Amino acid sequence: MKLQRKNRLRATALGALAVSSALVLTACGSDNNSGSDTGGSGEKTSAASNIKCDDAKGQLLASGSSAQKNAMDLWVKDYMAGCKGVEINYKSSSSGEGIIAFNQGTVGFAGSDSALKPEEVADSKKICKTGQGINLPMVGGPIAIGFHLEGVDSLTLDAPTLAKIFDGKIKKWNDPAIAKLNDGAKLPDKAIQAFHRSEDSGTTQNLGKYLAATAPNDWKYEPEKKWPAPGGQAASGSAGVAAQVKQVDGSIGYFELSYASSQSISTVDINTGGSAPVKASSENASKAIAAAKIKGTGKDLALDLDYTTKAEGAYPIVLVTYEVVCDTGNKAETLPTVKSFLNYTAGDEGQKLLTDAGYAPIPTEINAKVRETIASLS
């Protein structure tokens, strides 16, 4: 419990640093900008944080996944403090909206919790001209199952039970299936209020992939970005789902760990069939993501995650957020800024911020390929 309180305090402190994108834009005149210098080659580098600004300039618009919002807020703040005159405006909406914006040519890159579908790749060729949209894994982390149940601080669930809860088949907190997994817990005779995302969401799709892989007899839905099950209550974005769980006694929902940590929302331990239930944490998510394999071809680095892992201490409900860019055919006016910013987020400093913010860094071997690909963007 002491460690949990410590992590919550640390996450709360970090949450205070994570400002909204709109407020981040006001940081453009930060005193930290005065540390920039120009090397003999003309390459600008931030003396404060060694961010290579290169030829980045002007405003870069991006949008998409709300799963990576807290990471993106920290990245944007840090990057803009190091690169004077550059504005990064990331609109946190949803993966679906981000990909639509990218394929309409209104943003320099999009954030998505799911890799591009074949039809989305086909659409991207209209914007990328000489190339197509590709997936660059940038943010990893656990999808926490948050709950609010007065008098209950600790809760363990397994995949079949979770599937039945989110499908409306288990309706009360003192259901025998829940009680069996929580021996000795005083579970109330209270109705379960399950919350899900209202808009197309990669977080929803990743949860669906986990449930479909681990509880196929209880979760009969295809893993899609749109919430598939009847019933439940909808809320907008991960922030909206987290806010509802925070407020409503008897509630349960899913969102990235950073939302749970910053708002002190209790999270479910997952019984994977291993020796002990696994807590949602950056470290435990990293153990699961480390087994990911690249399934994309060419410069596309889409990953294949193992949701059925029973590895000791591996938290199985994970996601990887991709930054979607053109491999070739990027807009000349924004390409230098896209490359500079993504070089920073994929770099050692950018990835180091992830663990402290409740996310998980991309495994080193995969991240090396991400950096190579960013350097080759044209």
Side-chain angles (χ1 to χ4, degrees):
M1 292 298 292
K2 290 182 178 179
L3 179 59
Q4 187 178 31
R5 293 193 189 99
K6 182 179 178 181
N7 286 339
R8 285 177 176 172
L9 289 171
R10 183 176 67 176
T12 301
L14 282 163
L17 291 175
V19 296
S20 70
S21 296
L23 291 176
V24 166
L25 292 179
T26 64
C28 197
S30 168
D31 290 341
N32 287 339
N33 291 334
S34 63
S36 296
D37 59 53
T38 303
S41 62
E43 179 185 84
K44 291 185 297 181
T45 301
S46 164
S49 58
N50 296 318
I51 296 174
K52 294 183 178 180
C53 306
D54 296 325
D55 295 320
K57 61 183 178 181
Q59 185 183 62
L60 173 63
L61 301 179
S63 68
S65 165
S66 65
Q68 66 175 9
K69 178 187 184 300
N70 292 336
M72 191 61 71
D73 283 345
L74 291 170
W75 280 338
V76 169
K77 181 177 182 293
D78 199 26
Y79 180 85
M80 287 176 51
C83 295
K84 186 176 181 180
V86 182
E87 294 182 358
I88 309 293
N89 186 349
Y90 181 81
K91 179 184 177 183
S92 172
S93 50
S94 69
S95 298
E97 292 175 67
I99 290 173
I100 289 172
F102 178 77
N103 282 341
Q104 289 177 340
T106 59
V107 295
F109 70 89
S112 176
D113 310 340
S114 294
L116 293 167
K117 295 180 179 179
E119 59 268 28
E120 292 169 337
V121 174
D123 286 344
S124 73
K125 294 179 180 179
K126 302 170 186 176
I127 296 300
C128 298
K129 304 298 184 184
T130 59
Q132 64 181 42
I134 58 172
N135 305 280
L136 300 178
M138 198 67 67
V139 181
I143 299 174
I145 307 298
F147 72 96
H148 178 176
L149 192 58
E150 294 296 336
V152 178
D153 296 323
S154 178
L155 188 69
T156 295
L157 297 173
D158 59 12
T161 308
L162 269 176
K164 292 173 186 174
I165 288 173
F166 280 116
D167 199 21
K169 301 292 173 52
I170 291 179
K171 302 180 183 297
K172 292 288 189 75
W173 279 110
N174 63 346
D175 188 277
I178 300 177
K180 184 178 180 180
L181 293 165
N182 295 273
D183 187 35
K186 294 182 179 179
L187 299 169
D189 182 17
K190 182 184 288 292
I192 296 174
Q193 299 192 56
F195 286 91
H196 58 263
R197 293 281 290 272
S198 60
E199 70 290 340
D200 286 3
S201 161
T203 311
T204 294
Q205 188 172 39
N206 278 278
L207 175 63
K209 288 179 179 178
Y210 164 74
L211 294 174
T214 54
N217 293 328
D218 300 297
W219 191 257
K220 302 292 188 179
Y221 308 101
E222 288 295 320
E224 297 291 347
K225 292 178 182 177
K226 184 176 181 61
W227 181 255
Q233 301 178 62
S236 178
S238 291
V241 175
Q244 290 298 318
V245 173
K246 176 74 173 178
Q247 295 169 11
V248 179
D249 184 22
S251 61
I252 190 169
Y254 59 94
F255 33 79
E256 294 65 43
L257 180 62
S258 61
Y259 290 92
S261 300
S262 63
Q263 297 185 53
S264 298
I265 297 173
S266 297
T267 60
V268 171
D269 297 343
I270 301 299
N271 183 337
T272 64
S275 63
V278 185
K279 295 186 178 299
S281 72
S282 296
E283 180 182 1
N284 292 343
S286 293
K287 292 176 183 177
I289 295 172
K293 306 295 183 183
I294 295 174
K295 65 179 179 180
T297 58
K299 293 183 179 180
D300 183 75
L301 300 178
L303 301 180
D304 187 14
L305 298 170
D306 181 10
Y307 298 97
T308 64
T309 179
K310 291 181 173 60
E312 199 66 30
Y315 183 81
I317 318 177
V318 294
L319 61 74
V320 168
T321 294
Y322 301 95
E323 311 313 333
V324 177
V325 296
C326 297
D327 54 0
T328 63
N330 289 278
K331 293 181 179 179
E333 61 270 26
T334 57
L335 178 60
T337 307
V338 168
K339 293 178 70 172
S340 172
F341 179 66
L342 295 184
N343 267 323
Y344 160 65
T345 64
D348 292 338
E349 291 187 24
Q351 290 290 297
K352 185 177 182 298
L353 282 177
L354 293 178
T355 300
D356 291 339
Y359 296 96
I362 298 301
T364 302
E365 184 177 342
I366 295 172
N367 185 248
K369 295 181 182 298
V370 172
R371 297 189 202 189
E372 290 175 10
T373 303
I374 293 170
S376 72
L377 299 179
S378 61

Coordinates of all heavy atoms in Angstrom, one line a residue, residues 196-252:
H196 N -18.1 2.9 -21.2 CA -17.2 2.6 -22.3 C -17.1 3.9 -23.1 O -17.8 4.9 -22.9 CB -17.8 1.5 -23.2 CG -19.2 1.8 -23.7 ND1 -20.3 1.3 -23.0 CD2 -19.7 2.5 -24.7 CE1 -21.4 1.6 -23.7 NE2 -21.0 2.4 -24.7
R197 N -16.2 3.9 -24.1 CA -16.0 5.1 -25.0 C -17.2 5.3 -25.9 O -17.7 4.3 -26.5 CB -14.7 4.9 -25.8 CG -13.4 4.9 -24.9 CD -13.0 6.3 -24.5 NE -12.5 7.0 -25.7 CZ -11.3 7.0 -26.1 NH1 -10.4 6.3 -25.5 NH2 -10.9 7.7 -27.2
S198 N -17.5 6.5 -26.1 CA -18.6 6.8 -27.0 C -18.2 6.9 -28.5 O -19.1 6.7 -29.4 CB -19.3 8.2 -26.6 OG -18.3 9.2 -26.6
E199 N -16.9 7.2 -28.7 CA -16.5 7.4 -30.1 C -15.6 6.3 -30.5 O -15.2 5.5 -29.7 CB -15.8 8.8 -30.3 CG -14.4 8.9 -29.6 CD -14.5 8.9 -28.1 OE1 -15.5 9.2 -27.5 OE2 -13.5 8.6 -27.4
D200 N -15.2 6.2 -31.8 CA -14.3 5.2 -32.3 C -13.0 5.3 -31.5 O -12.4 6.4 -31.5 CB -14.1 5.3 -33.8 CG -15.3 4.8 -34.6 OD1 -16.3 4.4 -34.0 OD2 -15.2 4.8 -35.8
S201 N -12.5 4.2 -31.0 CA -11.3 4.3 -30.1 C -10.4 3.1 -30.2 O -10.9 2.0 -30.2 CB -11.8 4.4 -28.6 OG -10.8 4.1 -27.7
G202 N -9.1 3.4 -30.4 CA -8.2 2.3 -30.4 C -8.1 1.6 -29.1 O -7.8 0.4 -29.0
T203 N -8.3 2.3 -28.0 CA -8.3 1.7 -26.6 C -9.4 0.7 -26.6 O -9.2 -0.4 -26.0 CB -8.5 2.8 -25.6 OG1 -7.6 3.9 -25.8 CG2 -8.3 2.2 -24.2
T204 N -10.6 1.0 -27.1 CA -11.7 0.1 -27.1 C -11.3 -1.2 -27.9 O -11.6 -2.3 -27.5 CB -12.9 0.7 -27.8 OG1 -13.4 1.8 -26.9 CG2 -14.1 -0.3 -28.0
Q205 N -10.7 -0.9 -29.1 CA -10.3 -2.1 -29.9 C -9.3 -3.0 -29.3 O -9.3 -4.2 -29.4 CB -9.7 -1.5 -31.3 CG -9.5 -2.7 -32.3 CD -9.1 -2.1 -33.6 OE1 -8.4 -1.1 -33.8 NE2 -9.6 -2.8 -34.7
N206 N -8.3 -2.4 -28.6 CA -7.3 -3.2 -27.9 C -7.9 -4.0 -26.7 O -7.5 -5.1 -26.5 CB -6.2 -2.3 -27.3 CG -5.1 -2.0 -28.4 OD1 -4.3 -2.8 -28.7 ND2 -5.3 -0.8 -29.0
L207 N -8.9 -3.4 -26.0 CA -9.6 -4.1 -24.9 C -10.3 -5.3 -25.6 O -10.3 -6.4 -25.1 CB -10.5 -3.2 -24.2 CG -11.4 -3.9 -23.1 CD1 -10.5 -4.6 -22.0 CD2 -12.4 -3.0 -22.6
G208 N -11.0 -5.0 -26.7 CA -11.7 -6.1 -27.5 C -10.8 -7.2 -27.9 O -11.2 -8.4 -27.9
K209 N -9.6 -6.9 -28.4 CA -8.6 -7.9 -28.8 C -8.2 -8.8 -27.6 O -8.1 -10.0 -27.7 CB -7.4 -7.2 -29.4 CG -7.6 -6.6 -30.7 CD -6.3 -5.9 -31.2 CE -6.5 -5.3 -32.6 NZ -5.2 -4.6 -33.1
Y210 N -8.0 -8.1 -26.4 CA -7.7 -8.9 -25.2 C -8.9 -9.9 -24.9 O -8.6 -11.1 -24.6 CB -7.4 -8.0 -24.1 CG -7.4 -8.7 -22.7 CD1 -6.4 -9.5 -22.3 CD2 -8.5 -8.5 -21.9 CE1 -6.4 -10.2 -21.1 CE2 -8.5 -9.1 -20.6 CZ -7.5 -10.0 -20.3 OH -7.5 -10.6 -19.1
L211 N -10.1 -9.3 -24.8 CA -11.2 -10.2 -24.4 C -11.5 -11.3 -25.4 O -11.8 -12.4 -25.1 CB -12.5 -9.3 -24.3 CG -12.4 -8.3 -23.1 CD1 -13.6 -7.4 -23.1 CD2 -12.3 -9.0 -21.8
A212 N -11.4 -10.9 -26.7 CA -11.6 -11.9 -27.8 C -10.6 -13.1 -27.7 O -10.9 -14.2 -28.0 CB -11.6 -11.3 -29.2
A213 N -9.3 -12.7 -27.4 CA -8.3 -13.7 -27.4 C -8.3 -14.6 -26.1 O -7.9 -15.7 -26.2 CB -6.9 -13.0 -27.5
T214 N -8.7 -14.0 -25.0 CA -8.6 -14.7 -23.7 C -10.0 -15.2 -23.2 O -10.0 -16.1 -22.3 CB -8.0 -13.8 -22.7 OG1 -8.8 -12.5 -22.6 CG2 -6.6 -13.4 -23.0
A215 N -11.1 -14.7 -23.7 CA -12.4 -15.2 -23.3 C -13.3 -15.3 -24.5 O -14.4 -14.7 -24.5 CB -13.0 -14.2 -22.3
P216 N -12.9 -16.1 -25.5 CA -13.7 -16.3 -26.7 C -15.1 -16.8 -26.5 O -16.0 -16.5 -27.3 CB -12.9 -17.2 -27.6 CG -12.0 -18.0 -26.6 CD -11.7 -17.0 -25.5
N217 N -15.3 -17.6 -25.4 CA -16.6 -18.1 -25.2 C -17.6 -17.1 -24.6 O -18.8 -17.3 -24.6 CB -16.6 -19.3 -24.3 CG -15.8 -20.5 -24.9 OD1 -15.9 -20.7 -26.1 ND2 -15.1 -21.3 -24.1
D218 N -17.0 -16.0 -24.0 CA -17.8 -15.0 -23.3 C -17.8 -13.7 -24.0 O -18.7 -12.8 -23.7 CB -17.3 -14.8 -21.9 CG -17.4 -16.1 -21.1 OD1 -18.5 -16.6 -20.9 OD2 -16.3 -16.6 -20.7
W219 N -16.9 -13.5 -25.0 CA -16.9 -12.2 -25.7 C -16.9 -12.5 -27.2 O -15.9 -12.9 -27.8 CB -15.6 -11.4 -25.4 CG -15.6 -10.0 -25.9 CD1 -14.9 -9.5 -27.0 CD2 -16.3 -8.9 -25.4 NE1 -15.2 -8.2 -27.2 CE2 -16.0 -7.8 -26.2 CE3 -17.1 -8.7 -24.3 CZ2 -16.5 -6.5 -25.9 CZ3 -17.7 -7.5 -24.0 CH2 -17.4 -6.4 -24.8
K220 N -18.1 -12.4 -27.8 CA -18.3 -12.9 -29.2 C -18.2 -11.8 -30.2 O -18.5 -11.9 -31.4 CB -19.8 -13.4 -29.3 CG -20.0 -14.6 -28.3 CD -19.2 -15.8 -28.6 CE -19.7 -17.0 -27.8 NZ -18.9 -18.2 -28.1
Y221 N -17.7 -10.6 -29.8 CA -17.6 -9.5 -30.7 C -16.3 -9.4 -31.4 O -15.2 -9.7 -30.8 CB -17.9 -8.2 -30.0 CG -19.2 -8.2 -29.1 CD1 -19.1 -8.4 -27.8 CD2 -20.4 -8.1 -29.7 CE1 -20.3 -8.5 -27.0 CE2 -21.6 -8.1 -29.0 CZ -21.5 -8.3 -27.6 OH -22.7 -8.4 -26.9
E222 N -16.3 -8.9 -32.6 CA -15.0 -8.6 -33.4 C -14.4 -7.4 -32.7 O -15.1 -6.4 -32.4 CB -15.3 -8.3 -34.8 CG -15.7 -9.5 -35.6 CD -14.6 -10.5 -35.7 OE1 -13.4 -10.1 -35.9 OE2 -14.9 -11.8 -35.6
P223 N -13.1 -7.4 -32.6 CA -12.4 -6.2 -32.0 C -12.4 -5.0 -33.0 O -11.7 -5.0 -33.9 CB -10.9 -6.7 -31.8 CG -11.0 -8.2 -31.9 CD -12.1 -8.5 -32.8
E224 N -13.3 -4.1 -32.7 CA -13.4 -2.9 -33.5 C -13.3 -1.7 -32.7 O -13.3 -1.7 -31.4 CB -14.8 -2.9 -34.2 CG -15.0 -4.0 -35.2 CD -14.1 -3.9 -36.5 OE1 -13.5 -2.8 -36.7 OE2 -14.0 -4.9 -37.2
K225 N -13.1 -0.5 -33.3 CA -12.9 0.7 -32.6 C -14.2 1.2 -31.9 O -14.2 1.9 -31.0 CB -12.3 1.8 -33.5 CG -10.9 1.5 -33.9 CD -10.3 2.6 -34.8 CE -8.9 2.3 -35.3 NZ -8.4 3.3 -36.2
K226 N -15.3 0.8 -32.5 CA -16.6 1.2 -32.0 C -17.0 0.2 -31.0 O -16.9 -1.0 -31.2 CB -17.7 1.3 -33.1 CG -19.0 1.8 -32.7 CD -20.0 1.9 -33.9 CE -21.3 2.4 -33.5 NZ -21.3 3.7 -32.9
W227 N -17.5 0.7 -29.8 CA -18.0 -0.2 -28.7 C -19.1 -1.1 -29.3 O -20.1 -0.7 -29.8 CB -18.4 0.6 -27.5 CG -18.8 -0.3 -26.4 CD1 -20.1 -0.6 -26.0 CD2 -18.0 -1.1 -25.6 NE1 -20.1 -1.5 -24.9 CE2 -18.8 -1.8 -24.7 CE3 -16.6 -1.2 -25.5 CZ2 -18.2 -2.7 -23.7 CZ3 -16.0 -2.1 -24.5 CH2 -16.9 -2.8 -23.6
P228 N -18.9 -2.5 -29.1 CA -19.8 -3.4 -29.8 C -21.0 -3.9 -28.9 O -22.0 -4.3 -29.4 CB -18.9 -4.6 -30.1 CG -17.9 -4.6 -29.0 CD -17.7 -3.2 -28.6
A229 N -20.8 -3.9 -27.6 CA -21.8 -4.6 -26.7 C -23.0 -3.7 -26.4 O -22.8 -2.5 -26.3 CB -21.1 -5.1 -25.4
P230 N -24.1 -4.3 -26.2 CA -25.3 -3.5 -25.8 C -25.2 -3.1 -24.4 O -24.4 -3.7 -23.6 CB -26.5 -4.5 -26.0 CG -25.8 -5.8 -25.8 CD -24.5 -5.7 -26.3
G231 N -26.0 -2.1 -24.0 CA -26.0 -1.6 -22.6 C -24.8 -0.8 -22.2 O -24.0 -0.4 -23.1
G232 N -24.6 -0.7 -20.9 CA -23.5 0.2 -20.5 C -23.8 1.6 -20.7 O -24.8 2.0 -21.3
Q233 N -22.8 2.5 -20.3 CA -23.0 3.9 -20.5 C -21.8 4.5 -21.2 O -20.6 4.0 -20.9 CB -23.1 4.6 -19.1 CG -24.4 4.1 -18.3 CD -24.5 4.8 -17.0 OE1 -24.6 6.0 -16.9 NE2 -24.4 4.0 -15.9
A234 N -22.0 5.4 -22.1 CA -20.9 5.9 -22.9 C -20.4 7.3 -22.4 O -21.1 8.1 -21.8 CB -21.4 6.1 -24.3
A235 N -19.1 7.5 -22.6 CA -18.5 8.8 -22.2 C -17.4 9.1 -23.3 O -16.8 8.2 -23.9 CB -17.8 8.7 -20.8
S236 N -17.1 10.4 -23.4 CA -16.2 10.8 -24.5 C -14.7 10.8 -24.0 O -14.4 11.4 -23.0 CB -16.6 12.2 -24.9 OG -15.7 12.7 -25.9
G237 N -13.9 10.0 -24.8 CA -12.5 10.0 -24.5 C -12.1 9.3 -23.2 O -13.0 9.0 -22.4
S238 N -10.9 8.9 -23.1 CA -10.4 8.3 -21.9 C -10.7 9.2 -20.7 O -11.0 8.7 -19.6 CB -8.9 7.9 -22.0 OG -8.7 6.9 -22.9
A239 N -10.5 10.5 -20.8 CA -10.7 11.4 -19.7 C -12.2 11.4 -19.3 O -12.5 11.4 -18.1 CB -10.4 12.8 -20.2
G240 N -13.1 11.2 -20.2 CA -14.5 11.2 -19.9 C -14.9 9.9 -19.1 O -15.7 10.0 -18.2
V241 N -14.4 8.8 -19.6 CA -14.6 7.5 -18.9 C -14.1 7.5 -17.5 O -14.7 7.1 -16.5 CB -14.1 6.3 -19.7 CG1 -14.3 5.0 -18.9 CG2 -14.7 6.2 -21.1
A242 N -12.8 8.0 -17.4 CA -12.2 8.1 -16.1 C -13.0 9.0 -15.1 O -13.1 8.7 -13.9 CB -10.8 8.6 -16.2
A243 N -13.5 10.1 -15.6 CA -14.2 11.1 -14.8 C -15.5 10.4 -14.3 O -15.9 10.6 -13.1 CB -14.6 12.3 -15.6
Q244 N -16.2 9.6 -15.1 CA -17.4 9.0 -14.7 C -17.1 7.9 -13.6 O -17.8 7.8 -12.6 CB -18.1 8.3 -15.9 CG -18.7 9.3 -16.9 CD -19.8 10.1 -16.2 OE1 -20.6 9.7 -15.5 NE2 -19.8 11.4 -16.5
V245 N -16.0 7.1 -13.8 CA -15.7 6.1 -12.8 C -15.3 6.8 -11.5 O -15.7 6.3 -10.4 CB -14.5 5.2 -13.3 CG1 -14.0 4.3 -12.2 CG2 -15.0 4.4 -14.5
K246 N -14.6 7.9 -11.6 CA -14.2 8.6 -10.4 C -15.4 9.1 -9.6 O -15.4 9.0 -8.3 CB -13.4 9.9 -10.8 CG -13.0 10.8 -9.6 CD -11.9 10.2 -8.8 CE -11.4 11.2 -7.8 NZ -10.3 10.6 -6.9
Q247 N -16.5 9.5 -10.3 CA -17.7 10.1 -9.6 C -18.7 9.1 -9.2 O -19.4 9.3 -8.2 CB -18.3 11.1 -10.6 CG -17.5 12.3 -10.9 CD -18.0 13.1 -12.1 OE1 -19.2 12.9 -12.5 NE2 -17.3 14.0 -12.6
V248 N -18.9 8.0 -9.9 CA -20.0 7.1 -9.7 C -19.7 5.8 -8.9 O -18.8 5.0 -9.3 CB -20.6 6.6 -11.1 CG1 -21.8 5.7 -10.9 CG2 -21.0 7.9 -11.9
D249 N -20.3 5.7 -7.7 CA -20.1 4.5 -6.9 C -20.7 3.3 -7.6 O -21.8 3.4 -8.1 CB -20.8 4.7 -5.5 CG -20.5 3.5 -4.6 OD1 -19.5 2.8 -4.8 OD2 -21.3 3.4 -3.7
G250 N -20.0 2.2 -7.7 CA -20.5 1.0 -8.4 C -20.1 0.9 -9.8 O -20.5 0.0 -10.5
S251 N -19.2 1.8 -10.2 CA -18.8 1.9 -11.6 C -17.5 1.1 -12.0 O -16.7 0.8 -11.1 CB -18.6 3.3 -12.1 OG -17.6 4.0 -11.3
I252 N -17.4 0.9 -13.3 CA -16.1 0.2 -13.8 C -16.0 0.8 -15.2 O -16.9 1.1 -15.9 CB -16.2 -1.3 -13.8 CG1 -14.9 -2.0 -14.1 CG2 -17.3 -1.8 -14.7 CD1 -14.8 -3.5 -13.8

